[in-house]
Amino acid sequence: MKKSIVILCTLLLSSCAIIFPKVFQRKPANFSLENLWFNTQLDYHKNARYLLNTTQLSYNAFRSDAYNEQLLNFISKKLGNNTLTRETYKTADGKIIIPFKIEYDLTKENIELLQKTTDLDYVILSKILTPDLINKSKDPQYDSLKYRSGVLAGSVVFFKIFDIKNNNVLIEMSCKSSVYDDEQFNFDTNSYEKDTRISTYKSEDQLIKKSFKRIFSRIE
C-alpha cells in the first residue's frame, strides 16, 4: 500500500512538472548581493521622516503590489511611525501631498519638488527587473547582471534610500536571483548527480521575496 502511494505521488509530481515547468521544477536558487552605495546606518532620529514609494515592477509604477507589504513591514519594524506612504502622507484637510509618480531614478524635477513641497528627510525606492529586461537592456550598468542561457526564472531587485535634504543616496543595493536548467538534476533523488544539494526553488515570486530579505539582512 505504501509503495503504491509513493508511485502515485511520483507520477503526480512528474505530471505537474510537465504542465507547470516554472512552478514545479525543483531547482536550487542562486543569489548575488551587490552594494551599489552602502551605508549600513539608517537614520533613527525620532523626527526623521521616510516616504516609502511604491515598488516598481518592470519599469512600470503601480499603486500597490504584493511586495509593498513586505517592504512596509520591514521598514515599519525598523523605523516605527517614521514611515509614511503616498497614501498616508496628506495635508491637514486630507489632500495627498505627492500626487505624482516617483521614479526609481529620481529626476532633478522630482528632487526639487520633494525638497520644496514636503518636510520629508528620505524616500525609499525599489524596482524589480526580469531576466529578459536585464538581458535586452543596453544600459552598461546592467552588464554585470545579465543572465546566461538556460535560465528558468530570476529577477534583480533594487533597493535605494535617497536623502532628500542633502540630495544624495544613503543606501543602494541590488540582489540578483537565478535558477538555471541543468541536465544533471535527478528528480528521483531531488538532487544533482555530482553532489547532494537539495533544491529549493518553487516560484519566481518566492525568488523576489528572498532577494528582498537578503537586502534587508544587510541593513542595520
Side-chain angles (χ1 to χ4, degrees):
M1 181 64 179
K2 288 184 179 180
K3 186 176 181 180
S4 300
I5 293 174
V6 171
I7 293 172
L8 177 61
C9 289
T10 303
L11 289 172
L12 286 173
L13 285 172
S14 299
S15 300
C16 288
I18 294 170
I19 299 171
F20 305 108
K22 281 198 172 185
V23 178
F24 288 95
Q25 287 194 59
R26 296 167 294 172
K27 305 278 187 177
N30 301 301
F31 296 88
S32 177
L33 197 63
E34 183 179 3
N35 299 330
L36 303 174
W37 185 265
F38 195 55
N39 177 350
T40 59
Q41 295 298 316
L42 293 172
D43 185 352
Y44 291 102
H45 191 276
K46 65 178 181 179
N47 293 323
R49 293 165 70 80
Y50 288 80
L51 178 75
L52 177 61
N53 191 56
T54 305
T55 299
Q56 297 174 35
L57 297 174
S58 305
Y59 290 112
N60 298 313
F62 294 87
R63 290 181 63 85
S64 62
D65 63 55
Y67 308 104
N68 283 324
E69 185 176 355
Q70 184 183 8
L71 283 167
L72 184 59
N73 288 341
F74 170 77
I75 297 298
S76 297
K77 186 177 179 180
K78 283 283 185 183
L79 302 169
N81 296 328
N82 293 20
T83 308
L84 302 162
T85 64
R86 282 196 297 167
E87 288 75 19
T88 60
Y89 187 44
K90 300 179 180 180
T91 61
D93 57 354
K95 292 182 180 179
I96 294 178
I97 296 174
I98 305 175
F100 55 88
K101 181 174 68 176
I102 303 176
E103 300 291 348
Y104 180 82
D105 296 310
L106 288 169
T107 63
K108 182 180 178 181
E109 292 73 21
N110 279 165
I111 295 169
E112 289 177 351
L113 277 170
L114 290 169
Q115 289 173 336
K116 292 177 181 178
T117 63
T118 77
D119 60 353
L120 296 167
D121 295 287
Y122 307 96
V123 58
I124 300 166
L125 304 153
S126 62
K127 69 178 177 181
I128 303 164
L129 301 184
T130 62
D132 186 55
L133 284 169
I134 288 287
N135 283 352
K136 288 181 178 179
S137 175
K138 296 180 180 179
D139 192 327
Q141 70 172 310
Y142 297 140
D143 287 347
S144 65
L145 297 172
K146 292 186 183 297
Y147 289 80
R148 62 179 172 81
S149 61
V151 62
L152 289 177
S155 66
V156 182
V157 171
F158 294 87
F159 178 88
K160 176 166 60 179
I161 299 180
F162 189 83
D163 185 335
I164 297 169
K165 292 183 176 177
N166 294 307
N167 195 18
N168 59 36
V169 175
L170 180 68
I171 293 172
E172 185 170 15
M173 304 180 71
S174 71
C175 186
K176 177 184 177 182
S177 62
S178 56
V179 177
Y180 290 99
D181 195 5
D182 192 323
E183 295 179 356
Q184 303 304 315
F185 185 79
N186 187 330
F187 281 97
D188 293 327
T189 61
N190 194 33
S191 64
Y192 283 86
E193 299 290 355
K194 295 183 180 180
D195 58 45
T196 57
R197 288 179 299 163
I198 300 299
S199 58
T200 58
Y201 165 62
K202 291 183 179 179
S203 70
E204 201 161 70
D205 182 74
Q206 184 187 59
L207 291 179
I208 295 171
K209 289 182 178 179
K210 286 187 174 183
S211 292
F212 270 121
K213 287 181 179 179
R214 277 163 173 75
I215 290 174
F216 297 156
S217 69
R218 296 289 298 275
I219 301 173
E220 295 180 4

